[in-house]
Amino acid sequence: MTLDLAIIGVVFAIILLIIFFSAIVLYLSFRIKETFRKETRRGATVAKVAFLIGILFLAGGLFYFFANTFTNITNPTPTPTPTPPGMTPTPTPAETTPTPTATPTTPTPSPSQTPILTFSVSAPSQISMNSELSISFTITNPTVYTANGVYIETSGLFTDFTLQSTTHPTTGSVINIGEAISGVTIVNVELTAPDRAGTYSYTVALNFQEMENPLIRTLTIMVRGS
C-alpha cells in the first residue's frame, strides 16, 4: 500500500512539473520571439536555434531524471532479512580438502620377559687313570633378561672323579651358579680321574628358576689303564 501511494505521488509531481515547465518554455519562447522579431541578422537566428536546442536538452534531462527516480521506486532494493535473536546464521560450507586418515599400525609385540638359555659341556673323551682333566660348562643367555637360581646337576660325576677346584661353589653333585646375566657364563671344573679303567657316562642337567624343563646333556669319559 505504501509503494502504491509513493508511485501515485511521483506521477502527480511529474505531471505538475511538466505543466510548470511547459508554461515556462512557452513564456520564454514568446519573449524571445518578441525580442528578436525585428532582428534579421544571422546572429539572432543562431541564438534562437541555440535556445530551442537547449530547451530540448533540458527537457530530455528532466524526463530522464524522473524516469530513473520512478524505476528506483517501482524496484526497491531488497533489504536483508534480520536474523531472529538466539539464532546463528548458518555459514556456507567451504570446500575443504579431506584430511587423509592415518592407517593404524599394529604394535610390535614385546619379547617375552622369560630368559632363554643354551647349555653345552666340553670334556676330553678319554683320559688315563689318576690323571688330571678339565671340564667346562658353557651357559649362553641371548636375551636381555637375567636367569635366576641357576645350578648344574652333575649326577654322580664328583663321586667317581675327585674334585680339585671349580670356579663356582658346589654342594654334593650340584654346582651353584646363581644368576646368569645376558651373555656367556663359563663354569670350569678341575678333576682327577679314578684309578679304575672303564667308560663313565653321566647325565648333566642345567636348571634355573624361570624355565619349565631342565636342559640335559650327556657326558661320557673313557678312563684307560696305564
Side-chain angles (χ1 to χ4, degrees), residues 66-90:
F66 285 108
N68 285 337
T69 303
F70 184 76
T71 303
N72 292 333
I73 292 176
T74 55
N75 299 305
T77 303
T79 57
T81 304
T83 303
M87 297 182 61
T88 303
T90 304

Side-chain angles (χ1 to χ4, degrees), residues 106-121:
T106 304
T108 304
S110 59
S112 173
Q113 296 185 1
T114 303
I116 300 174
L117 303 183
T118 59
F119 178 53
S120 63
V121 181

Side-chain angles (χ1 to χ4, degrees), residues 64-152:
Y64 177 77
F65 171 77
F66 285 108
N68 285 337
T69 303
F70 184 76
T71 303
N72 292 333
I73 292 176
T74 55
N75 299 305
T77 303
T79 57
T81 304
T83 303
M87 297 182 61
T88 303
T90 304
T92 303
E95 187 174 335
T96 58
T97 304
T99 304
T101 304
T103 303
T105 57
T106 304
T108 304
S110 59
S112 173
Q113 296 185 1
T114 303
I116 300 174
L117 303 183
T118 59
F119 178 53
S120 63
V121 181
S122 176
S125 58
Q126 55 183 348
I127 192 74
S128 299
M129 292 187 301
N130 297 318
S131 61
E132 295 182 353
L133 70 154
S134 178
I135 299 177
S136 296
F137 303 95
T138 302
I139 303 169
T140 303
N141 182 3
T143 68
V144 297
Y145 307 104
T146 300
N148 300 290
V150 183
Y151 66 92
I152 299 174

Side-chain angles (χ1 to χ4, degrees), residues 206-221:
L206 175 69
N207 298 270
F208 60 98
Q209 181 177 332
E210 293 82 6
M211 75 182 310
E212 296 181 358
N213 298 307
L215 300 177
I216 299 175
R217 300 291 183 267
T218 300
L219 172 62
T220 301
I221 303 175

